[in-house]
Amino acid sequence: MKKIFFIIMLFVSINIIAAPYNGKILQFKQPDGSFVDLKLFGTEFYMRAEGLDGYTLIRDVKSNWICYAKLSENNNELISTGIIYKGKKDNGLTLKNDLNFPKHIDISNKSRAEIIAKNKKSVSLNEQPVLKNKTLVHHVIGNIKGLCIVVDFSDEPAVLPITEFDDFCNDLNYINFGNNGSLRKFYSDISGGLVDYQNVVYGYYRAPLTFADYEQMPMGFGAQQILELALNWIESTGFDFSTLTTEPDGSITAINLMYTGVAQTWSQGMWYHQGYYGGFYADGVHSGAYNTSPANSPLELATVAHENGHMIGKWPDTYKYDGSDDGIGSFDLMCWMGDYYNPVPPNPHFWTNAGWGKVVDITNYNGINNDTANTITCYKYKNLNDTNEFFLIENFRQISRYASIPDEGLTIWQIDRSGDNQTTHNEVYLEHANNDITNHYDACFHSAFNDEFSITTVPNSDFYNGDPSGLRVWNIGSVANIMTYKLGAGQAAPTFNLQYVNIANDNNANGFLEANESADININASNFGQISSGNATVTCSAIGANAGFVTVNNPIANAGIINVSQTIPLTFNITISSLTLIGTVIDLKFLISDGTYSTYITKSIVIGVQILMTNQQISTCSAMFYDDGGNFAIYNNSMNFVTTLLPASANNKIKVEFLSYDVEYEPSCGYDYLNIYDGNSTSSPLIGMYCGTNSPGIITSTDATGALTFRFHSDDFVTGNGWEAIVSCVNINEVKENENNNNVQIYPNPTSGIINLLVNENFTNISVTDVFGREVYKTINKNLIDISFLSNGIYFLKIKTNNEVLINKIVKK
């Protein structure tokens, strides 16, 4: 059996993309055969159960009964109280309200994050990416053909005819169980008829083991075994898999695996999920993305529509896996979906990425807009200094596909493609008219509630960095099929815009600002309004804590009258103080005004050469070293980069000092990690693997090339803040080893820990470093040092004098 299991592990890859539960009531069976009703909150990564009375529940691992739960003393786990839960929807007498512990309890955020990480690892067995948290433009248009496989078990036999599943997937007039159409009809409706998504339905396939047998396997493994067997069974019937829609890598775009039975422990065993199985090949294509969903009565459209959004739309989840407030709720298919039988469409960012509907640019519009609800039309306001960021505006009414949205009126979405909905800097964010992201029932803008969104309102229309966007939506009318509102100033006026262009003419012409250097900062001043401006001036000033390191040599530039659609290039010359440390961030503010109208932008600039993690080999002795997100953004998912740093001149060795370090944590660094090698390739000796906040500290090359090599890997899900490090060089001619130097006497050497020390010169400090240059001990005592706490090995005793650094090798054993 172990051999079979090992083979399965080799050929299986799952990347779970979770389907959300936000208080959905489901039935679960108790050991005596009775059924209880409970609510579920969370996803496959972490799910919590509550009774209908509000108390948290857990299935007792010893008795197998669903019982009320309490928290452990450290709040790290839920513990069964042994009190059996008997709650039923139709019998209030089965509920409790007198237990001596609180309702709605949950484990600590840290423990929840660790469980999420553990479960993610258990279903991600290799680097086979399905989705990223950031959404790329991916047009979904035309005919799409997927595969639907329906499975039953000897202990959970089929209850619905196979024709029901064909209708559920493909019948344009399907209404059974109260569903608003089939899966095909749903995607036709939300795409405006641009997508015809059909599924070839096969079944029933009778699984060889019982449902109870598969339940005992780890999360996802039973479903994968069944999927592999069912695909081989379909192949034996002569089906041509090449007739299905495939991805550029030859994988089948969508496989829907539906099976009878109900997993009896939430988020374990045969619990439903969306994943990736790449082990089946036939007719020149292979298996890929799949989802699992119930084949029980009643069939529900929402979960299947959501999971197919992952597969055919490449859309990530927009709710947060850790259970924190997502700020979107049921306004989005990829968040809480809405009604289980009538799910809502995706947010406008996702459907525009799919190439559906109509996007109207209102960036420079000044006037009245008439916005018709639910027509797959949205209005886009752009950030001209950052193409990743923009606002989308769409009118929603609670009818048809939008019937289950929490509120109706004008929705305003702030989008940043460089963001991530699993962090606090979202990719998709719904501005709430009530300024409360926990209450979605007053999220829409309309008259008699909140009829303006601008720089002065709460919430305001600033960009993510705090700069004014210039977006003003005001005099918003009442909820209606056609909402009327004003955009811009409401009268003919110039509309100023400033755009940062580049740094030029720096002293050493490398394109970076460095200490004791002057350079030009080029910007463009434009007028996108309806009339010419007055006489406009632009000022440049240094702001923030580091303003004292900057001198603006020409702080005022005259732009003059800027005509409609005219752009004026302007240049400011600045000088950076010689005292400015590498890595210092300076902030510049550019403000344009003609006495009546004005706006501004800010620009943050890092002092020094900057190296971002990518596939490269660079020679340097002075630079800032960052993850691929740079100083101002988090790193990306699904990255595999190797950077080698070489000293810029002979007789030097690279030294890298990490100022901050934060990547996704997992005890064995199995998710995101940075490997550092002592040499010029990944074949060089490995110094260490680093994840979480376990900073590498200071690393100095000991290799003959003087190089250090860095390999960074990130998986498909959670990210951290990344790292910031200073790169410098150590000149080997300035450091000499003095084992027989008469000015230094050390004994015993080797030592078990205590070293007697006699230094005959004046010194500034004494330290001990390991073979990688990391300081592990420091003292001012020149008579005795104690390194008994260190591991056995070779170390270097460094004594800094006024003229040199004396180094003596010491051995701890």
Side-chain angles (χ1 to χ4, degrees):
M1 187 64 183
K2 289 183 179 179
K3 183 176 181 181
I4 296 173
F5 181 73
F6 178 69
I7 292 173
I8 292 170
M9 292 277 285
L10 284 178
F11 286 98
V12 166
S13 169
I14 276 190
N15 285 333
I16 291 291
I17 301 297
Y21 290 84
N22 190 25
K24 182 177 183 179
I25 298 176
L26 292 177
Q27 276 196 340
F28 286 85
K29 186 186 291 186
Q30 293 283 32
D32 65 352
S34 63
F35 286 89
V36 292
D37 299 310
L38 51 82
K39 296 179 179 180
L40 294 180
F41 299 86
T43 72
E44 291 89 335
F45 297 139
Y46 175 75
M47 196 170 297
R48 186 178 64 87
E50 269 189 14
L52 302 184
D53 43 24
Y55 292 104
T56 299
L57 304 174
I58 190 173
R59 190 176 284 278
D60 192 302
V61 294
K62 294 181 179 178
S63 68
N64 206 35
W65 285 86
I66 296 174
C67 296
Y68 291 97
K70 63 180 180 180
L71 281 170
S72 62
E73 290 186 3
N74 58 9
N75 294 337
N76 286 344
E77 61 178 327
L78 296 173
I79 300 172
S80 171
T81 63
I83 305 171
I84 296 173
Y85 174 69
K86 300 179 180 180
K88 296 182 183 296
K89 286 187 292 186
D90 55 357
N91 188 351
L93 297 177
T94 61
L95 307 180
K96 292 183 177 293
N97 201 36
D98 58 352
L99 299 178
N100 62 353
F101 42 84
K103 299 181 178 183
H104 315 297
I105 61 173
D106 199 358
I107 59 177
S108 66
N109 291 338
K110 181 177 184 296
S111 297
R112 188 165 56 241
E114 289 175 352
I115 291 174
I116 291 171
K118 179 181 178 181
N119 288 340
K120 188 176 70 172
K121 183 177 182 181
S122 71
V123 293
S124 302
L125 301 179
N126 62 38
E127 299 168 15
Q128 185 70 278
V130 179
L131 293 171
K132 301 176 181 179
N133 286 333
K134 301 172 182 62
T135 315
L136 302 177
V137 173
H138 171 74
H139 284 184
V140 185
I141 296 173
N143 297 322
I144 301 173
K145 184 179 288 188
L147 178 65
C148 177
I149 308 170
V150 190
V151 178
D152 75 347
F153 309 85
S154 60
D155 58 341
E156 294 286 353
V159 295
L160 297 172
I162 197 65
T163 54
E164 185 71 37
F165 297 94
D166 202 339
D167 294 342
F168 175 77
C169 289
N170 302 314
D171 185 0
L172 292 174
N173 298 309
Y174 185 75
I175 58 172
N176 290 1
F177 306 112
N179 283 292
N180 182 10
S182 62
L183 184 63
R184 178 187 182 188
K185 184 65 164 63
F186 175 81
Y187 275 96
S188 176
D189 287 351
I190 67 171
S191 67
L194 293 178
V195 173
D196 187 8
Y197 175 39
Q198 300 185 57
N199 273 264
V200 179
V201 178
Y202 264 86
Y204 278 91
Y205 172 74
R206 173 60 60 88
L209 304 179
T210 66
F211 186 82
D213 290 332
Y214 291 113
E215 269 274 78
Q216 301 306 309
M217 298 180 184
M219 171 70 180
F221 281 87
Q224 294 166 28
Q225 289 191 27
I226 294 167
L227 178 58
E228 181 179 23
L229 294 168
L231 289 169
N232 283 307
W233 166 66
I234 293 172
E235 184 185 21
S236 71
T237 68
F239 178 70
D240 185 357
F241 284 89
S242 68
T243 61
L244 301 174
T245 301
T246 57
E247 298 299 297
D249 65 354
S251 64
I252 299 167
T253 296
I255 300 175
N256 292 281
L257 180 65
M258 306 182 72
Y259 47 76
T260 59
V262 177
Q264 286 304 296
T265 303
W266 38 99
S267 209
Q268 296 182 32
M270 289 289 283
W271 200 258
Y272 307 109
H273 60 271
Q274 196 271 313
Y276 191 100
Y277 167 75
F280 173 80
Y281 292 81
D283 305 315
V285 302
H286 62 90
S287 57
Y290 75 93
N291 84 81
T292 62
S293 57
N296 308 307
S297 178
L299 298 179
E300 297 176 354
L301 180 59
T303 299
V304 181
H306 172 100
E307 302 292 18
N308 277 274
H310 290 311
M311 293 192 294
I312 68 174
K314 313 304 180 204
W315 303 323
D317 295 312
T318 52
Y319 61 89
K320 298 194 185 303
Y321 298 150
D322 64 4
S324 58
D325 293 322
D326 52 71
I328 296 176
S330 290
F331 281 98
D332 179 17
L333 174 70
M334 305 314 292
C335 197
W336 295 111
M337 303 182 295
D339 186 85
Y340 294 114
Y341 304 98
N342 185 25
V344 299
N347 67 74
H349 177 45
F350 288 177
W351 63 250
T352 56
N353 279 338
W356 304 341
K358 181 179 180 181
V359 183
V360 180
D361 190 344
I362 57 167
T363 307
N364 303 305
Y365 181 72
N366 188 5
I368 296 174
N369 192 37
N370 296 309
D371 188 342
T372 304
N374 304 356
T375 55
I376 326 180
T377 298
C378 68
Y379 298 86
K380 183 175 184 178
Y381 186 92
K382 297 181 293 187
N383 181 348
L384 298 183
N385 282 290
D386 185 353
T387 56
N388 285 317
E389 187 175 8
F390 47 90
F391 290 93
L392 295 175
I393 301 173
E394 186 177 9
N395 179 12
F396 281 4
R397 291 297 310 277
Q398 292 171 318
I399 54 176
S400 188
R401 290 291 178 196
Y402 298 82
S404 59
I405 59 174
D407 192 19
E408 57 182 348
L410 200 65
T411 60
I412 301 176
W413 304 78
Q414 188 165 11
I415 310 298
D416 188 350
R417 292 185 187 275
S418 64
D420 184 336
N421 272 66
Q422 299 310 317
T423 71
T424 57
H425 185 150
N426 291 2
E427 178 189 10
V428 180
Y429 182 81
L430 179 63
E431 298 286 356
H432 279 51
N434 60 0
N435 200 39
D436 180 3
I437 65 170
T438 68
N439 176 12
H440 306 309
Y441 296 98
D442 292 309
C444 295
F445 293 81
H446 53 81
S447 64
F449 180 63
N450 188 343
D451 65 353
E452 182 170 345
F453 180 70
S454 65
I455 190 174
T456 60
T457 61
V458 178
N460 64 43
S461 63
D462 289 349
F463 288 128
Y464 270 112
N465 69 353
D467 286 357
S469 69
L471 174 62
R472 185 190 184 198
V473 188
W474 56 294
N475 201 18
I476 302 172
S478 58
V479 173
N481 288 337
I482 301 177
M483 288 190 74
T484 300
Y485 48 88
K486 293 181 179 179
L487 293 165
Q491 60 185 16
T495 300
F496 286 128
N497 181 266
L498 295 172
Q499 288 180 281
Y500 169 83
V501 179
N502 61 13
I503 297 170
N505 299 321
D506 53 309
N507 293 354
N508 60 11
N510 66 0
F512 293 98
L513 270 175
E514 297 173 80
N516 200 32
E517 187 174 49
S518 296
D520 291 334
I521 308 294
N522 294 318
I523 68 166
N524 286 334
S526 304
N527 176 12
F528 296 116
Q530 292 83 30
I531 63 174
S532 298
S533 73
N535 188 49
T537 58
V538 181
T539 61
C540 172
S541 58
I543 60 174
N546 297 319
F549 293 113
V550 184
T551 299
V552 181
N553 299 314
N554 59 321
I556 301 175
N558 183 25
I561 295 173
I562 307 178
N563 297 319
V564 175
S565 300
Q566 185 181 16
T567 296
I568 305 294
L570 300 168
T571 298
F572 294 90
N573 185 264
I574 67 172
T575 300
I576 305 301
S577 166
S578 60
L579 301 177
T580 311
L581 297 177
I582 186 173
T584 299
V585 177
I586 63 166
D587 296 306
L588 300 175
K589 180 178 180 179
F590 302 92
L591 185 148
I592 183 171
S593 175
D594 68 351
T596 303
Y597 301 98
S598 65
T599 191
Y600 70 87
I601 62 169
T602 58
K603 176 65 178 177
S604 297
I605 301 173
V606 178
I607 300 303
V609 175
Q610 296 162 65
I611 299 172
L612 271 58
M613 190 74 199
T614 188
N615 291 320
Q616 61 190 337
Q617 188 174 87
I618 292 179
S619 296
T620 185
C621 274
S622 178
M624 295 300 299
F625 180 37
Y626 300 101
D627 56 85
D628 65 284
N631 186 64
F632 304 112
I634 62 176
Y635 62 83
N636 290 292
N637 289 310
S638 305
M639 297 293 104
N640 280 290
F641 290 139
V642 175
T643 289
T644 296
L645 302 180
L646 291 153
S649 57
N651 300 319
N652 278 276
K653 293 184 182 292
I654 288 288
K655 174 184 174 182
V656 177
E657 180 179 357
F658 284 82
L659 305 178
S660 63
Y661 189 81
D662 175 27
V663 305
E664 183 189 7
Y665 174 73
E666 193 275 328
S668 61
C669 293
Y671 301 156
D672 299 354
Y673 57 82
L674 179 68
N675 282 352
I676 305 179
Y677 301 88
D678 190 19
N680 60 1
S681 75
T682 54
S683 298
S684 302
L686 175 66
I687 293 174
M689 172 183 280
Y690 304 91
C691 66
T693 55
N694 175 31
S695 174
I698 300 174
I699 306 289
T700 303
S701 173
T702 66
D703 188 69
T705 64
L708 290 173
T709 295
F710 303 82
R711 178 180 179 237
F712 179 61
H713 165 82
S714 62
D715 64 11
D716 301 328
F717 296 94
V718 181
T719 59
N721 292 320
W723 69 82
E724 177 185 14
I726 297 176
V727 180
S728 60
C729 289
V730 176
N731 189 314
I732 60 176
N733 289 329
E734 296 175 359
V735 180
K736 58 182 179 178
E737 186 175 338
N738 297 275
E739 291 188 350
N740 299 312
N741 192 298
N742 293 327
N743 291 324
V744 179
Q745 299 179 44
I746 57 175
Y747 59 91
N749 189 17
T751 179
S752 60
I754 301 297
I755 295 178
N756 295 295
L757 181 65
L758 180 60
V759 182
N760 296 327
E761 290 189 31
N762 292 327
F763 67 94
T764 56
N765 65 65
I766 298 173
S767 63
V768 176
T769 62
D770 62 17
V771 293
F772 301 121
R774 294 174 293 200
E775 187 176 278
V776 294
Y777 181 85
K778 189 173 184 179
T779 184
I780 59 173
N781 188 341
K782 66 177 181 178
N783 297 316
L784 181 145
I785 65 174
D786 182 0
I787 59 170
S788 57
F789 64 95
L790 294 175
S791 318
N792 292 339
I794 296 174
Y795 295 90
F796 295 94
L797 178 67
K798 287 187 175 183
I799 302 172
K800 291 186 179 180
T801 72
N802 294 329
N803 301 314
E804 60 186 350
V805 178
L806 307 176
I807 295 183
N808 290 261
K809 183 167 65 179
I810 54 178
V811 179
K812 163 77 180 344
K813 71 175 182 178

